[in-house]
Structure formats: C-alpha cells, structure tokens
C-alpha cells in the first residue's frame, strides 16, 4: 500500500513497467520512483536503515548498486514487524 504513492498513474495492482537507461541500478530505480524522497532517506538507507527487502528476478538483493537488466522484475517490500 505504501509504495503505491510512488508508482506511475498507469500502475495496476501495485505493478508497473518502468523504463530506465541501460546500466541503471537499483539506486536509479529508487530515485526514479521517488521512494527515497517519499521515505525521507537516501536510496541506500531504503534497504539498510528502513529495512526494505528487494528481490530482483526472484533473488533477494542487498547491493543497491546492482545493475538491472532488460526484463528484470523488481519486488520491493517494506520491513514487517510482528508483535
């Protein structure tokens, strides 16, 4: 629900196809979508401090500098705490 505010208007069910330049990284995607601004932290801190989990094409990723490839599917999930 939280990330929907950062998705383009044509996103459907929390999913959107995003076009980035060749060589773009997870950092570039986070900045492109404005997630860092929305969370008021650096792109690195989206994963490190805010504890968001990122999956790239089915594999969890912690390296924010990971270069994305054409056709990659990126899933970003906020940290969920129980009680």
């Amino acid at each position: 629900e939280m990330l929907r505010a950062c998705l383009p208007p044509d996103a459907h069910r929390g999913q959107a196809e995003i076009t980035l330049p060749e060589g773009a990284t997870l950092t570039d995607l986070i900045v492109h979508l404005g997630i860092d601004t929305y969370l008021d932290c650096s792109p690195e801190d989206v994963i490190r401090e805010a504890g968001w989990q990122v999956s790239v094409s089915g594999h969890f990723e912690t390296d924010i500098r990971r270069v994305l490839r054409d056709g990659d599917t990126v899933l970003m999930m906020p940290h969920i705490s129980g009680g």
Side-chain angles (χ1 to χ4, degrees):
E1 194 66 34
M2 179 186 292
L3 256 184
R4 291 179 196 255
C6 297
L7 291 174
D10 62 345
H12 180 68
R13 292 186 170 195
Q15 298 180 14
E17 187 169 314
I18 307 294
T19 302
L20 296 170
E22 188 172 331
T25 63
L26 280 172
T27 299
D28 297 320
L29 176 62
I30 289 169
V31 170
H32 176 81
L33 293 174
I35 297 168
D36 55 330
T37 302
Y38 184 82
L39 296 176
D40 194 27
C41 62
S42 71
E44 295 80 14
D45 285 346
V46 169
I47 293 175
R48 189 176 34 207
E49 299 295 325
W52 284 52
Q53 294 187 346
V54 178
S55 170
V56 179
S57 295
H59 302 282
F60 281 104
E61 185 61 65
T62 58
D63 184 2
I64 199 80
R65 298 165 297 166
R66 160 83 150 60
V67 174
L68 299 172
R69 291 180 250 175
D70 189 32
D72 274 346
T73 299
V74 178
L75 176 61
M76 299 186 75
M77 301 161 283
H79 175 72
I80 299 173
S81 60

